[in-house]
């Protein structure tokens, strides 16, 4: 992630290690790839109507915040919600882009990403929905080495 410091654009991670070794740089690139893949996994599972797959993207005590709904805490509750919502979809298509990842440590990252989603519903009286906005994610690397969402905030812009 970039930030402005003394009127210059600088990579935010530079604050954590002024001279990272080659191994540290490669590890950061690999971690960034895994964190970005986490959002792709989430979107693919929503589009595939796979509530279990959506839930698997979260930590056991993960939290999801979505405007108009109370915050959900816990993988089981998130999985249950998606299990109720996804069967109403005829089809869904998500696009994710402009991902920025800021590593707070080697085990924790903050992610900001834009999204566009198009959903078509099975009910005859339900209108298709096009939405866009951004995701804010707190991702953590768990003991099994996998990155999962400790928190997902969905912010709709339209």
């Amino acid at each position: 992630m970039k930030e402005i410091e003394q009127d210059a654009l600088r990579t935010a991670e530079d604050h954590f290690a002024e001279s990272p070794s080659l191994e540290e740089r490669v590890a950061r690139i690999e971690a960034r790839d895994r964190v970005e893949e986490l959002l792709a996994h989430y979107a693919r599972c929503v589009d595939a109507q796979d509530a279990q797959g959506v839930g698997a993207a979260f930590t056991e005590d993960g939290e999801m915040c979505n405007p108009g709904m109370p915050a959900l805490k816990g993988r089981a509750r998130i999985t249950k919600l998606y299990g109720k919502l996804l069967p109403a979809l005829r089809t869904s298509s998500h696009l994710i882009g402009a991902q920025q990842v800021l590593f707070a440590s080697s085990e924790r990252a903050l992610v900001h990403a834009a999204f566009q989603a198009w959903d078509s519903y099975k009910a005859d009286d339900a209108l298709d929905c096009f939405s866009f906005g951004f995701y804010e994610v707190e991702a953590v690397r768990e003991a099994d080495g996998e990155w999962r969402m400790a928190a997902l905030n969905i912010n709709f812009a339209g």
Side-chain angles (χ1 to χ4, degrees):
M1 190 173 286
K2 302 289 187 182
E3 63 185 13
I4 303 296
E5 183 179 283
Q6 298 175 350
D7 297 325
L9 189 63
R10 179 180 170 148
T11 300
E13 283 90 349
D14 291 346
H15 293 289
F16 300 112
E18 290 299 327
S19 300
S21 69
L22 179 59
E23 290 81 14
E24 291 169 324
R25 290 169 50 206
V26 169
R28 187 186 311 169
I29 291 168
E30 290 175 344
R32 181 180 311 278
D33 185 56
R34 299 295 300 273
V35 169
E36 289 177 354
E37 174 61 28
L38 177 60
L39 275 175
H41 167 85
Y42 167 80
R44 182 183 57 78
C45 288
V46 170
D47 292 346
Q49 301 178 14
D50 177 2
Q52 294 296 320
V54 169
F58 288 86
T59 61
E60 193 64 38
D61 62 347
E63 183 174 273
M64 186 183 82
C65 296
N66 190 347
M69 297 175 63
L72 284 178
K73 188 157 179 79
R75 178 187 296 150
R77 291 184 71 202
I78 293 167
T79 302
K80 184 176 179 180
L81 172 69
Y82 277 86
K84 290 179 180 177
L85 295 177
L86 294 177
L89 293 173
R90 176 177 294 121
T91 186
S92 177
S93 179
H94 283 75
L95 300 173
I96 299 173
Q99 293 190 55
Q100 291 183 300
V101 180
L102 171 64
F103 287 96
S105 72
S106 62
E107 308 299 318
R108 187 169 296 277
L110 303 174
V111 184
H112 185 276
F115 76 86
Q116 293 182 347
W118 178 79
D119 298 315
S120 175
Y121 296 91
K122 292 176 183 174
D124 291 334
D125 60 344
L127 298 174
D128 291 351
C129 177
F130 175 73
S131 58
F132 56 92
F134 59 93
Y135 296 130
E136 292 175 329
V137 175
E138 180 182 352
V140 296
R141 186 186 337 233
E142 295 200 296
D144 64 359
E146 290 295 325
W147 286 88
R148 292 189 178 86
M149 290 188 270
L152 168 63
N153 292 314
I154 303 172
N155 299 286
F156 291 97

